[in-house]
Amino acid sequence: MGDILTSRVNPRRFFSKVGVDSIGPFQMKPRKGRGIRPMKTYACVFLCFTVKRMHLEMLGHLSSDCLIASLKRFATRRGNLDKLFSDCGTNFIGASKELKAVCYKESVANFLCKNEIGWDFNPSSTPHFGGEEAAENL
C-alpha cells in the first residue's frame, strides 16, 4: 500500500486549496411561457482538496468575466483561497491574465489581489495531473 498523501493528512481550513473546472452546456429556459427558447448555461465546479467537498456556481457563458464573478461568489461564501488548480481552458487562462493585470494597477482594491491567490495550471493534454497530485507538489 502506498503512503498517504500529505495533502490529505495535514490539517488546514476547508476550501483553502481548490480545484476548479467548468461543466456543461445545459439547456435552460429563462422563464416559462410560449415561444421561450432554451439557452445554454454552464456550471463551475469547485472541489476542496482537504475533504473532497464540492461547490457549484452557475455561469451564464464561458467567459473570463463570468468566471471571475463566480470566483468572487465562491470566496464570499467559503472564505478566501490559498491555491487554485485548473486545467488550461481558455476561460481559466483569460481570467488568470485579467486578474494579474488588475493586480498591477494601483487603484484597484480587489480582494482577490489582496489575498494573492496562487493559480496553478495542469500541463497541456494531461487531465490526470489535477487533484491530489497537484496539491502534493506544493
Side-chain angles (χ1 to χ4, degrees), residues 8 14-15 17-23 26 43-57 74 77-78:
R8 300 292 290 168
F14 293 164
F15 291 103
K17 298 199 185 324
V18 174
V20 63
D21 202 3
S22 58
I23 57 172
F26 301 106
C44 191
V45 179
F46 296 95
L47 182 68
C48 176
F49 283 168
T50 307
V51 293
K52 296 296 183 197
R53 197 163 188 194
M54 186 173 54
H55 179 94
L56 289 175
E57 289 285 339
F74 174 76
R77 286 182 181 226
R78 301 291 185 171

Side-chain angles (χ1 to χ4, degrees), residues 92-112:
F92 296 126
I93 292 175
S96 175
K97 287 180 182 177
E98 284 183 28
L99 288 175
K100 286 179 183 176
V102 167
C103 288
Y104 293 124
K105 292 182 182 175
E106 64 278 0
S107 63
V108 178
N110 192 347
F111 70 93
L112 291 173

Side-chain angles (χ1 to χ4, degrees), residues 4 21 27 49-50 67 73 76 92 94 116 119 136 138:
I4 297 175
D21 202 3
Q27 295 292 327
F49 283 168
T50 307
L67 182 67
R73 289 192 305 265
T76 55
F92 296 126
E116 297 180 2
W119 199 327
E136 186 68 28
L138 297 176

Side-chain angles (χ1 to χ4, degrees), residues 81-103:
L81 305 168
D82 295 334
K83 278 282 199 186
L84 190 65
F85 297 93
S86 67
D87 56 0
C88 293
T90 55
N91 56 340
F92 296 126
I93 292 175
S96 175
K97 287 180 182 177
E98 284 183 28
L99 288 175
K100 286 179 183 176
V102 167
C103 288

